[in-house]
mmCIF file of all heavy atoms in Angstrom:
data_model
loop_
_atom_site.group_PDB
_atom_site.id
_atom_site.type_symbol
_atom_site.label_atom_id
_atom_site.label_comp_id
_atom_site.label_asym_id
_atom_site.label_seq_id
_atom_site.Cartn_x
_atom_site.Cartn_y
_atom_site.Cartn_z
ATOM 1 N N LYS A 226 86.995 -61.980 13.496
ATOM 2 C CA LYS A 226 87.168 -61.637 14.906
ATOM 3 C C LYS A 226 86.622 -60.254 15.238
ATOM 4 O O LYS A 226 86.421 -59.923 16.400
ATOM 5 C CB LYS A 226 88.660 -61.700 15.281
ATOM 6 C CG LYS A 226 89.267 -63.088 15.193
ATOM 7 C CD LYS A 226 90.744 -63.074 15.549
ATOM 8 C CE LYS A 226 91.578 -62.461 14.442
ATOM 9 N NZ LYS A 226 93.040 -62.621 14.680
ATOM 10 N N PHE A 227 86.385 -59.440 14.207
ATOM 11 C CA PHE A 227 85.988 -58.051 14.433
ATOM 12 C C PHE A 227 84.563 -57.754 13.963
ATOM 13 O O PHE A 227 84.158 -56.600 13.932
ATOM 14 C CB PHE A 227 86.970 -57.117 13.719
ATOM 15 C CG PHE A 227 88.334 -57.090 14.355
ATOM 16 C CD1 PHE A 227 89.319 -57.975 13.943
ATOM 17 C CD2 PHE A 227 88.633 -56.197 15.366
ATOM 18 C CE1 PHE A 227 90.580 -57.957 14.529
ATOM 19 C CE2 PHE A 227 89.885 -56.168 15.958
ATOM 20 C CZ PHE A 227 90.866 -57.052 15.540
ATOM 21 N N LEU A 228 83.830 -58.796 13.615
ATOM 22 C CA LEU A 228 82.459 -58.608 13.147
ATOM 23 C C LEU A 228 81.445 -59.138 14.156
ATOM 24 O O LEU A 228 81.625 -60.217 14.720
ATOM 25 C CB LEU A 228 82.236 -59.313 11.802
ATOM 26 C CG LEU A 228 82.718 -58.576 10.553
ATOM 27 C CD1 LEU A 228 82.631 -59.484 9.338
ATOM 28 C CD2 LEU A 228 81.900 -57.297 10.317
ATOM 29 N N LYS A 229 80.385 -58.395 14.328
ATOM 30 C CA LYS A 229 79.253 -58.837 15.134
ATOM 31 C C LYS A 229 78.228 -59.454 14.188
ATOM 32 O O LYS A 229 77.628 -58.758 13.369
ATOM 33 C CB LYS A 229 78.642 -57.641 15.878
ATOM 34 C CG LYS A 229 77.444 -57.990 16.735
ATOM 35 C CD LYS A 229 76.886 -56.724 17.385
ATOM 36 C CE LYS A 229 75.660 -57.043 18.223
ATOM 37 N NZ LYS A 229 75.089 -55.801 18.845
ATOM 38 N N LYS A 230 78.057 -60.756 14.277
ATOM 39 C CA LYS A 230 77.197 -61.454 13.326
ATOM 40 C C LYS A 230 75.774 -60.928 13.394
ATOM 41 O O LYS A 230 75.199 -60.747 14.464
ATOM 42 C CB LYS A 230 77.201 -62.960 13.584
ATOM 43 C CG LYS A 230 76.429 -63.762 12.551
ATOM 44 C CD LYS A 230 76.570 -65.259 12.773
ATOM 45 C CE LYS A 230 75.807 -66.040 11.709
ATOM 46 N NZ LYS A 230 75.934 -67.508 11.887
ATOM 47 N N ASN A 231 75.209 -60.675 12.214
ATOM 48 C CA ASN A 231 73.828 -60.196 12.115
ATOM 49 C C ASN A 231 73.169 -60.912 10.940
ATOM 50 O O ASN A 231 73.488 -60.631 9.782
ATOM 51 C CB ASN A 231 73.794 -58.683 11.921
ATOM 52 C CG ASN A 231 72.394 -58.111 12.035
ATOM 53 O OD1 ASN A 231 71.419 -58.755 11.667
ATOM 54 N ND2 ASN A 231 72.287 -56.893 12.546
ATOM 55 N N ASN A 232 72.261 -61.822 11.221
ATOM 56 C CA ASN A 232 71.613 -62.610 10.170
ATOM 57 C C ASN A 232 70.695 -61.786 9.282
ATOM 58 O O ASN A 232 70.294 -62.234 8.212
ATOM 59 C CB ASN A 232 70.835 -63.768 10.791
ATOM 60 C CG ASN A 232 71.749 -64.823 11.389
ATOM 61 O OD1 ASN A 232 72.835 -65.073 10.865
ATOM 62 N ND2 ASN A 232 71.325 -65.431 12.493
ATOM 63 N N ALA A 233 70.360 -60.578 9.733
ATOM 64 C CA ALA A 233 69.505 -59.713 8.913
ATOM 65 C C ALA A 233 70.256 -59.133 7.720
ATOM 66 O O ALA A 233 69.646 -58.700 6.743
ATOM 67 C CB ALA A 233 68.931 -58.584 9.765
ATOM 68 N N PHE A 234 71.584 -59.146 7.797
ATOM 69 C CA PHE A 234 72.396 -58.595 6.715
ATOM 70 C C PHE A 234 72.758 -59.695 5.724
ATOM 71 O O PHE A 234 73.189 -60.781 6.115
ATOM 72 C CB PHE A 234 73.685 -57.980 7.254
ATOM 73 C CG PHE A 234 73.486 -56.817 8.194
ATOM 74 C CD1 PHE A 234 74.510 -56.406 9.022
ATOM 75 C CD2 PHE A 234 72.287 -56.125 8.240
ATOM 76 C CE1 PHE A 234 74.353 -55.333 9.887
ATOM 77 C CE2 PHE A 234 72.106 -55.053 9.096
ATOM 78 C CZ PHE A 234 73.139 -54.651 9.921
ATOM 79 N N SER A 235 72.618 -59.408 4.456
ATOM 80 C CA SER A 235 72.975 -60.384 3.425
ATOM 81 C C SER A 235 74.485 -60.508 3.264
ATOM 82 O O SER A 235 74.987 -61.481 2.702
ATOM 83 C CB SER A 235 72.349 -59.998 2.087
ATOM 84 O OG SER A 235 72.825 -58.728 1.681
ATOM 85 N N THR A 236 75.213 -59.513 3.741
ATOM 86 C CA THR A 236 76.671 -59.548 3.694
ATOM 87 C C THR A 236 77.218 -58.685 4.819
ATOM 88 O O THR A 236 76.553 -57.759 5.289
ATOM 89 C CB THR A 236 77.194 -59.034 2.332
ATOM 90 O OG1 THR A 236 78.595 -59.243 2.250
ATOM 91 C CG2 THR A 236 76.903 -57.561 2.152
ATOM 92 N N GLN A 237 78.438 -58.993 5.262
ATOM 93 C CA GLN A 237 79.078 -58.175 6.295
ATOM 94 C C GLN A 237 80.530 -57.842 5.979
ATOM 95 O O GLN A 237 81.166 -57.093 6.710
ATOM 96 C CB GLN A 237 78.982 -58.857 7.666
ATOM 97 C CG GLN A 237 77.563 -58.851 8.241
ATOM 98 C CD GLN A 237 77.512 -59.289 9.687
ATOM 99 O OE1 GLN A 237 77.283 -60.454 9.975
ATOM 100 N NE2 GLN A 237 77.748 -58.354 10.592
ATOM 101 N N LEU A 238 81.035 -58.390 4.875
ATOM 102 C CA LEU A 238 82.386 -58.069 4.432
ATOM 103 C C LEU A 238 82.376 -57.940 2.911
ATOM 104 O O LEU A 238 81.912 -58.844 2.219
ATOM 105 C CB LEU A 238 83.377 -59.160 4.854
ATOM 106 C CG LEU A 238 84.788 -59.057 4.262
ATOM 107 C CD1 LEU A 238 85.496 -57.795 4.747
ATOM 108 C CD2 LEU A 238 85.616 -60.299 4.610
ATOM 109 N N ILE A 239 82.906 -56.821 2.419
ATOM 110 C CA ILE A 239 82.957 -56.592 0.973
ATOM 111 C C ILE A 239 84.379 -56.220 0.597
ATOM 112 O O ILE A 239 84.966 -55.295 1.160
ATOM 113 C CB ILE A 239 81.974 -55.484 0.546
ATOM 114 C CG1 ILE A 239 80.545 -55.921 0.853
ATOM 115 C CG2 ILE A 239 82.117 -55.177 -0.941
ATOM 116 C CD1 ILE A 239 79.593 -54.803 1.084
ATOM 117 N N LEU A 240 84.930 -56.973 -0.358
ATOM 118 C CA LEU A 240 86.292 -56.760 -0.827
ATOM 119 C C LEU A 240 86.294 -56.452 -2.314
ATOM 120 O O LEU A 240 85.674 -57.178 -3.109
ATOM 121 C CB LEU A 240 87.146 -58.013 -0.620
ATOM 122 C CG LEU A 240 87.574 -58.411 0.785
ATOM 123 C CD1 LEU A 240 88.320 -59.741 0.710
ATOM 124 C CD2 LEU A 240 88.455 -57.345 1.393
ATOM 125 N N GLU A 241 87.001 -55.406 -2.708
ATOM 126 C CA GLU A 241 87.254 -55.209 -4.134
ATOM 127 C C GLU A 241 88.378 -56.163 -4.539
ATOM 128 O O GLU A 241 89.320 -56.403 -3.774
ATOM 129 C CB GLU A 241 87.641 -53.764 -4.436
ATOM 130 C CG GLU A 241 87.838 -53.516 -5.927
ATOM 131 C CD GLU A 241 87.901 -52.046 -6.300
ATOM 132 O OE1 GLU A 241 87.208 -51.222 -5.661
ATOM 133 O OE2 GLU A 241 88.629 -51.721 -7.257
ATOM 134 N N ILE A 242 88.274 -56.688 -5.764
ATOM 135 C CA ILE A 242 89.264 -57.657 -6.255
ATOM 136 C C ILE A 242 89.650 -57.326 -7.693
ATOM 137 O O ILE A 242 89.006 -56.495 -8.354
ATOM 138 C CB ILE A 242 88.704 -59.100 -6.224
ATOM 139 C CG1 ILE A 242 87.427 -59.193 -7.086
ATOM 140 C CG2 ILE A 242 88.446 -59.554 -4.802
ATOM 141 C CD1 ILE A 242 86.973 -60.596 -7.395
ATOM 142 N N ASP A 243 90.686 -57.979 -8.185
ATOM 143 C CA ASP A 243 90.989 -57.928 -9.608
ATOM 144 C C ASP A 243 90.009 -58.850 -10.326
ATOM 145 O O ASP A 243 89.536 -59.843 -9.760
ATOM 146 C CB ASP A 243 92.426 -58.371 -9.863
ATOM 147 C CG ASP A 243 93.059 -57.636 -11.030
ATOM 148 O OD1 ASP A 243 92.318 -56.981 -11.791
ATOM 149 O OD2 ASP A 243 94.302 -57.692 -11.176
ATOM 150 N N HIS A 244 89.714 -58.530 -11.574
ATOM 151 C CA HIS A 244 88.599 -59.191 -12.270
ATOM 152 C C HIS A 244 88.792 -60.696 -12.456
ATOM 153 O O HIS A 244 87.807 -61.436 -12.635
ATOM 154 C CB HIS A 244 88.375 -58.535 -13.636
ATOM 155 C CG HIS A 244 89.535 -58.718 -14.581
ATOM 156 N ND1 HIS A 244 89.598 -59.765 -15.460
ATOM 157 C CD2 HIS A 244 90.653 -57.992 -14.763
ATOM 158 C CE1 HIS A 244 90.722 -59.673 -16.161
ATOM 159 N NE2 HIS A 244 91.376 -58.602 -15.763
ATOM 160 N N ASP A 245 90.038 -61.163 -12.392
ATOM 161 C CA ASP A 245 90.282 -62.596 -12.611
ATOM 162 C C ASP A 245 90.579 -63.350 -11.311
ATOM 163 O O ASP A 245 91.031 -64.492 -11.341
ATOM 164 C CB ASP A 245 91.435 -62.792 -13.600
ATOM 165 C CG ASP A 245 92.737 -62.163 -13.128
ATOM 166 O OD1 ASP A 245 92.729 -61.466 -12.083
ATOM 167 O OD2 ASP A 245 93.767 -62.352 -13.809
ATOM 168 N N GLN A 246 90.309 -62.731 -10.162
ATOM 169 C CA GLN A 246 90.623 -63.363 -8.878
ATOM 170 C C GLN A 246 89.401 -63.982 -8.197
ATOM 171 O O GLN A 246 89.541 -64.577 -7.123
ATOM 172 C CB GLN A 246 91.228 -62.322 -7.913
ATOM 173 C CG GLN A 246 92.590 -61.801 -8.328
ATOM 174 C CD GLN A 246 93.080 -60.705 -7.390
ATOM 175 O OE1 GLN A 246 92.291 -60.015 -6.748
ATOM 176 N NE2 GLN A 246 94.394 -60.520 -7.332
ATOM 177 N N HIS A 247 88.234 -63.836 -8.773
ATOM 178 C CA HIS A 247 87.003 -64.169 -8.037
ATOM 179 C C HIS A 247 86.957 -65.627 -7.577
ATOM 180 O O HIS A 247 86.547 -65.908 -6.446
ATOM 181 C CB HIS A 247 85.771 -63.821 -8.864
ATOM 182 C CG HIS A 247 85.652 -64.545 -10.163
ATOM 183 N ND1 HIS A 247 86.474 -64.280 -11.236
ATOM 184 C CD2 HIS A 247 84.799 -65.526 -10.562
ATOM 185 C CE1 HIS A 247 86.133 -65.064 -12.243
ATOM 186 N NE2 HIS A 247 85.137 -65.835 -11.861
ATOM 187 N N GLU A 248 87.363 -66.553 -8.421
ATOM 188 C CA GLU A 248 87.285 -67.963 -8.032
ATOM 189 C C GLU A 248 88.248 -68.264 -6.884
ATOM 190 O O GLU A 248 87.884 -68.964 -5.923
ATOM 191 C CB GLU A 248 87.576 -68.854 -9.237
ATOM 192 C CG GLU A 248 86.489 -68.806 -10.300
ATOM 193 C CD GLU A 248 86.778 -69.740 -11.467
ATOM 194 O OE1 GLU A 248 87.913 -70.280 -11.524
ATOM 195 O OE2 GLU A 248 85.882 -69.916 -12.317
ATOM 196 N N GLN A 249 89.459 -67.732 -6.962
ATOM 197 C CA GLN A 249 90.433 -67.958 -5.894
ATOM 198 C C GLN A 249 89.960 -67.343 -4.573
ATOM 199 O O GLN A 249 90.056 -67.971 -3.513
ATOM 200 C CB GLN A 249 91.788 -67.346 -6.272
ATOM 201 C CG GLN A 249 92.535 -68.073 -7.376
ATOM 202 C CD GLN A 249 93.739 -67.268 -7.821
ATOM 203 O OE1 GLN A 249 93.618 -66.274 -8.514
ATOM 204 N NE2 GLN A 249 94.918 -67.706 -7.407
ATOM 205 N N VAL A 250 89.459 -66.120 -4.651
ATOM 206 C CA VAL A 250 89.052 -65.428 -3.425
ATOM 207 C C VAL A 250 87.843 -66.114 -2.794
ATOM 208 O O VAL A 250 87.768 -66.260 -1.569
ATOM 209 C CB VAL A 250 88.774 -63.937 -3.700
ATOM 210 C CG1 VAL A 250 88.256 -63.247 -2.436
ATOM 211 C CG2 VAL A 250 90.034 -63.239 -4.187
ATOM 212 N N ILE A 251 86.908 -66.577 -3.605
ATOM 213 C CA ILE A 251 85.749 -67.296 -3.062
ATOM 214 C C ILE A 251 86.202 -68.575 -2.354
ATOM 215 O O ILE A 251 85.742 -68.886 -1.245
ATOM 216 C CB ILE A 251 84.735 -67.617 -4.181
ATOM 217 C CG1 ILE A 251 83.996 -66.338 -4.606
ATOM 218 C CG2 ILE A 251 83.729 -68.678 -3.716
ATOM 219 C CD1 ILE A 251 83.087 -66.528 -5.791
ATOM 220 N N THR A 252 87.113 -69.316 -2.972
ATOM 221 C CA THR A 252 87.623 -70.550 -2.361
ATOM 222 C C THR A 252 88.308 -70.252 -1.023
ATOM 223 O O THR A 252 88.086 -70.944 -0.027
ATOM 224 C CB THR A 252 88.612 -71.250 -3.309
ATOM 225 O OG1 THR A 252 87.928 -71.593 -4.523
ATOM 226 C CG2 THR A 252 89.180 -72.507 -2.676
ATOM 227 N N ILE A 253 89.124 -69.217 -1.007
ATOM 228 C CA ILE A 253 89.824 -68.834 0.226
ATOM 229 C C ILE A 253 88.822 -68.387 1.290
ATOM 230 O O ILE A 253 88.907 -68.788 2.456
ATOM 231 C CB ILE A 253 90.834 -67.709 -0.066
ATOM 232 C CG1 ILE A 253 91.958 -68.231 -0.968
ATOM 233 C CG2 ILE A 253 91.409 -67.149 1.235
ATOM 234 C CD1 ILE A 253 92.794 -67.143 -1.606
ATOM 235 N N ALA A 254 87.864 -67.569 0.881
ATOM 236 C CA ALA A 254 86.860 -67.067 1.826
ATOM 237 C C ALA A 254 86.083 -68.216 2.466
ATOM 238 O O ALA A 254 85.892 -68.249 3.687
ATOM 239 C CB ALA A 254 85.906 -66.107 1.117
ATOM 240 N N GLU A 255 85.664 -69.160 1.673
ATOM 241 C CA GLU A 255 84.866 -70.265 2.204
ATOM 242 C C GLU A 255 85.703 -71.168 3.112
ATOM 243 O O GLU A 255 85.178 -71.758 4.053
ATOM 244 C CB GLU A 255 84.231 -71.032 1.054
ATOM 245 C CG GLU A 255 83.166 -70.186 0.339
ATOM 246 C CD GLU A 255 82.419 -70.926 -0.744
ATOM 247 O OE1 GLU A 255 82.917 -71.974 -1.210
ATOM 248 O OE2 GLU A 255 81.335 -70.435 -1.143
ATOM 249 N N SER A 256 87.003 -71.226 2.863
ATOM 250 C CA SER A 256 87.876 -72.021 3.739
ATOM 251 C C SER A 256 87.994 -71.406 5.131
ATOM 252 O O SER A 256 88.296 -72.097 6.101
ATOM 253 C CB SER A 256 89.266 -72.167 3.121
ATOM 254 O OG SER A 256 90.012 -70.962 3.213
ATOM 255 N N PHE A 257 87.746 -70.097 5.224
ATOM 256 C CA PHE A 257 87.804 -69.415 6.517
ATOM 257 C C PHE A 257 86.446 -69.358 7.222
ATOM 258 O O PHE A 257 86.344 -68.871 8.340
ATOM 259 C CB PHE A 257 88.327 -67.983 6.341
ATOM 260 C CG PHE A 257 89.794 -67.889 6.041
ATOM 261 C CD1 PHE A 257 90.246 -67.082 4.997
ATOM 262 C CD2 PHE A 257 90.732 -68.585 6.788
ATOM 263 C CE1 PHE A 257 91.593 -66.970 4.721
ATOM 264 C CE2 PHE A 257 92.093 -68.490 6.512
ATOM 265 C CZ PHE A 257 92.526 -67.679 5.468
ATOM 266 N N GLY A 258 85.395 -69.820 6.548
ATOM 267 C CA GLY A 258 84.087 -69.841 7.181
ATOM 268 C C GLY A 258 83.115 -68.790 6.694
ATOM 269 O O GLY A 258 82.192 -68.411 7.424
ATOM 270 N N TRP A 259 83.292 -68.341 5.468
ATOM 271 C CA TRP A 259 82.377 -67.366 4.881
ATOM 272 C C TRP A 259 81.492 -68.025 3.822
ATOM 273 O O TRP A 259 81.910 -68.958 3.148
ATOM 274 C CB TRP A 259 83.146 -66.243 4.179
ATOM 275 C CG TRP A 259 84.057 -65.431 5.015
ATOM 276 C CD1 TRP A 259 85.419 -65.594 5.167
ATOM 277 C CD2 TRP A 259 83.715 -64.292 5.808
ATOM 278 N NE1 TRP A 259 85.922 -64.640 5.996
ATOM 279 C CE2 TRP A 259 84.905 -63.815 6.410
ATOM 280 C CE3 TRP A 259 82.517 -63.618 6.062
ATOM 281 C CZ2 TRP A 259 84.941 -62.700 7.242
ATOM 282 C CZ3 TRP A 259 82.543 -62.518 6.890
ATOM 283 C CH2 TRP A 259 83.735 -62.068 7.477
#
Side-chain angles (χ1 to χ4, degrees):
K226 295 179 286 189
F227 290 90
L228 279 171
K229 179 182 179 181
K230 185 175 181 179
N231 189 327
N232 291 326
F234 298 162
S235 61
T236 188
Q237 289 191 266
L238 171 65
I239 297 153
L240 288 176
E241 183 166 326
I242 59 166
D243 213 347
H244 65 92
D245 59 354
Q246 293 176 335
H247 61 289
E248 291 182 350
Q249 289 171 285
V250 176
I251 287 174
T252 299
I253 293 165
E255 292 185 342
S256 74
F257 287 132
W259 299 97

